[in-house]
Amino acid sequence: RAIVRDIDMLGEKSLLTKITIFNPSIKPKPTAEVDPTIFEKRFLTKYRALGEGHFGKVELCRYDPRGDKTGELVAVKSLKPEKQEEQGTNLSREIDILKALFHENIVRYKGICGQAYKLIMEYVPLGSLKDYLPRHKKDTSLATLLSYSVQICKGMEYLGSKNYIHRDLAARNVLVENERTVKIGDFGLTKCIKDNEGYYTVKDENDSPVFWYAPECLTQCKFYLASDVWSFGVTLYELITYCDSSKSPMTCFLDMIGSTHGQMTVMRLVKMLNEGRRLPQPDGCPEVYELMRKCWDQKPERRITFTALIKELSNML
Ligand code: ADP
Ligand code: MG
């Protein structure tokens, strides 16, 4: 009777706690069950910056709970302070998408850290293709470039099979694991397409990578899986030119448009694409250029698919 009265006096909230604590049927979680995707900020040491894009910055860190430098190296993506307000939901969406993707050519999600939801992913040591290729021209053969292209297509084919469109496929967003292996990264603009729609409508055009975009993206803000194929064609062009900035898609398109036209640039780009003009053939490799042209068909439904690209590119190897 005395016990009942004591418990009554504890009030509802503490009563619950009390019962939980003393309930012998509920065992405390063994430490092995600690969620391995939650990274504690205090164990994360920053080494150096890995890169920056439109929205985020990525840093190399060591996660070292034991404090003896045996912990693993990870890449930590956070939003730039000035982008946090508007993009906060984007990073958490990127996290949700990446979490569900398992493919050898897609950067591996590891977890999150802190309230601001930093994204923890595997560290891909050689950086983006855009940084890597200009510096490794000599030791990268055409066959290797084609093998990278096949790997990108395989990652994209997988992404498409999950009903996602990437919307930002470009050499700057492909990471180099080692001399033989590349992985697609940066899922910040990725969108899930509803099965009955097949495209995604962009509302915010501020950060659109316009020179990688298909005409329907520029004119109607529609994104299909086939729009990713167009962007892959531009990425393939970047690979074949070893990401030489003097031949970059932006440099070339601006050349073709004729100087800069500020606000008019996108309009003039669209006009030029509508006239059937395309990026020029890089030196040599006419067969690869033919594939690029199949990615750049004006009509999305007539473009080659990632599955067909894998076949054709593999045949060239
Ligand atoms: P944003 O969304 O701002 O474009 P990204 O995810 O593309 O950010 O990352 C920016 C840059 O950081 C990349 O171009 C690349 O150089 C580098 N980077 C990104 N993720 C990794 C990673 N997992 N390992 C190594 N470098 C990375
Ligand atoms: Mg990026």
Side-chain angles (χ1 to χ4, degrees), residues 118-167:
K118 290 182 175 179
L119 161 63
I120 315 283
M121 56 189 147
E122 66 171 326
Y123 166 50
V124 187
L126 301 180
S128 80
L129 268 180
K130 195 167 185 207
D131 300 326
Y132 176 87
L133 279 182
R135 289 190 271 119
H136 293 84
K137 234 173 137 162
K138 281 207 183 74
D139 25 77
T140 311
S141 64
L142 177 62
T144 303
L145 295 176
L146 293 175
S147 161
Y148 292 164
S149 311
V150 172
Q151 294 174 47
I152 297 168
C153 286
K154 284 185 176 166
M156 291 305 296
E157 187 188 42
Y158 171 81
L159 198 64
S161 76
K162 298 272 173 198
N163 269 331
Y164 283 120
I165 34 179
H166 189 284
R167 299 204 315 149

Side-chain angles (χ1 to χ4, degrees), residues 244-262:
D244 179 340
S245 58
S246 72
K247 293 176 192 150
S248 82
M250 187 171 96
T251 312
C252 278
F253 275 131
L254 287 178
D255 261 4
M256 289 158 78
I257 291 168
S259 75
T260 49
H261 292 273

